[in-house]
């Protein structure tokens, strides 16, 4: 039996809505970035692990970690 599997890292970015920045306190657009790793078998993605979300402020440029619900609310998903 021949089995092909692999790991693939991905980065996905989307523009969120205006929110108050944790660092500068300004209401500005927040960019939501999703990072993670996919396990694939025969080039079919099966499982995503190591998923994390990062918010980037458009005003000051600083990044802050975010939870799944907070990132989904900002990205409008």
């Amino acid at each position: 039996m021949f089995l092909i599997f692999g790991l693939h890292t991905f980065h996905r970015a989307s523009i969120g809505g205006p929110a108050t920045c944790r660092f500068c306190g300004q209401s500005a657009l927040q960019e939501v970035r999703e990072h993670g790793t996919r396990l694939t078998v025969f080039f079919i993605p099966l499982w995503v692990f190591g998923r994390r979300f990062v918010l980037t402020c458009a005003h000051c440029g600083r990044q802050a970690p975010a939870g799944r619900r907070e990132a989904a609310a900002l990205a409008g998903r």
Side-chain angles (χ1 to χ4, degrees), residues 7-18:
L7 297 174
H8 173 72
T9 58
F10 67 93
H11 309 285
R12 189 177 308 150
S14 63
I15 301 296

Side-chain angles (χ1 to χ4, degrees), residues 3 17 34 53-54 56:
L3 184 66
E34 178 183 3
F53 297 93
V54 177
T56 304

